Amino acid sequence: MRVRDEEKVQLVKQKALESLVQDGFEGFSMNKLAKACGISVATLYIYYKDKDDLIISIGQEEGDKMADAMIKNLDPKASFEEGMRIQWQNRYAYVMANPNSYLFFEQLRTSTYQVKFLESFMKKFKGVISEFMHNVVANGEIKPMPLEVFWSVAYAPLYSLIRFEREGQSIGGKPFQMTDQILWQTFDLVIKALKN
């Protein structure tokens, strides 16, 4: 039995992520991946059972990294505004530093892999965020609301700005470049909306 070469494993993950983002799940194949890595297809099957195993494995590993990044320095006992500011900073920094991972997550979110991905991702993320949210509601900083309502108001504006930044344009093709002023002006409006 051949031993796993960790350098090859990292190369496979990097090339798989690039290919998945560029070609989507439909255009992705183990043969293309092996060729991009300069290895045999048989070598891929030493590391992964099949295409699904590879995609789920990368999704879980990247999801763990993203979850860690999102809750970095977040004290569950922080005030609502302070905790949300940390999350916005963390989310924005993560997406800007890991554009392929972010685009991959967007693909996972609308695929049959979503359940497997979220299962792993939520384990790490949910505990800290749940405690934070419980505390800010208990302290009367915000009112209880369905998760979907909270997320739509709390984070959707950030991800819209990120999409505009990535595409270099906003609605109607108007050139767009993110600035700290735009980011934090949007944040202030979100906090104001959620506190009312």
Side-chain angles (χ1 to χ4, degrees):
M1 181 179 207
R2 286 172 54 184
V3 178
R4 283 174 65 107
D5 178 338
E6 286 307 315
E7 284 184 29
K8 276 187 188 166
V9 172
Q10 291 309 314
L11 176 66
V12 166
K13 289 176 188 175
Q14 175 200 337
K15 294 294 184 186
L17 210 63
E18 290 170 7
S19 178
L20 285 161
V21 167
Q22 181 179 335
D23 303 328
F25 294 122
E26 299 79 21
F28 177 79
S29 75
M30 297 295 263
N31 287 332
K32 280 186 191 176
L33 177 59
K35 187 175 181 179
C37 294
I39 61 175
S40 73
V41 175
T43 301
L44 288 177
Y45 290 103
I46 292 170
Y47 307 137
Y48 302 99
K49 186 172 60 178
D50 55 25
K51 175 180 161 179
D52 290 338
D53 183 44
L54 179 138
I55 291 170
I56 290 166
S57 175
I58 291 172
Q60 289 174 337
E61 187 175 312
E62 292 298 312
D64 283 349
K65 289 178 193 173
M66 184 170 76
D68 287 342
M70 287 180 170
I71 58 177
K72 182 181 174 187
N73 299 323
L74 176 62
D75 178 356
K77 293 178 177 57
S79 71
F80 178 63
E81 186 169 343
E82 179 186 345
M84 289 298 294
R85 184 174 297 276
I86 289 167
Q87 288 181 68
W88 270 52
Q89 287 171 332
N90 290 347
R91 288 167 189 257
Y92 182 68
Y94 180 83
V95 171
M96 292 298 106
N98 302 280
N100 279 344
S101 293
Y102 172 70
L103 294 171
F104 175 59
F105 295 139
E106 288 297 299
Q107 290 174 326
L108 282 175
R109 200 174 50 77
T110 58
S111 75
T112 56
Y113 299 103
Q114 177 184 22
V115 173
K116 286 274 188 196
F117 166 69
L118 287 177
E119 200 174 87
S120 171
F121 174 72
M122 291 306 287
K123 279 180 191 171
K124 201 169 244 196
F125 182 71
K126 191 175 182 180
V128 174
I129 295 299
S130 293
E131 186 179 347
F132 170 71
M133 293 305 298
H134 175 76
N135 288 337
V136 297
V137 169
N139 293 337
E141 293 183 74
I142 65 168
K143 294 178 180 142
M145 64 187 81
L147 174 63
E148 298 78 9
V149 172
F150 176 78
W151 195 97
S152 295
V153 176
Y155 303 116
L158 172 62
Y159 289 110
S160 290
L161 290 174
I162 287 170
R163 188 180 73 248
F164 294 153
E165 170 70 12
R166 249 190 37 254
E167 294 172 357
Q169 61 183 6
S170 67
I171 299 166
K174 180 181 171 191
F176 180 84
Q177 185 172 8
M178 180 74 91
T179 64
D180 282 349
Q181 180 183 357
I182 290 171
L183 181 68
W184 298 117
Q185 179 183 13
T186 307
F187 174 81
D188 290 342
L189 291 169
V190 164
I191 295 302
K192 185 176 179 180
L194 287 167
K195 282 186 170 182
N196 288 334

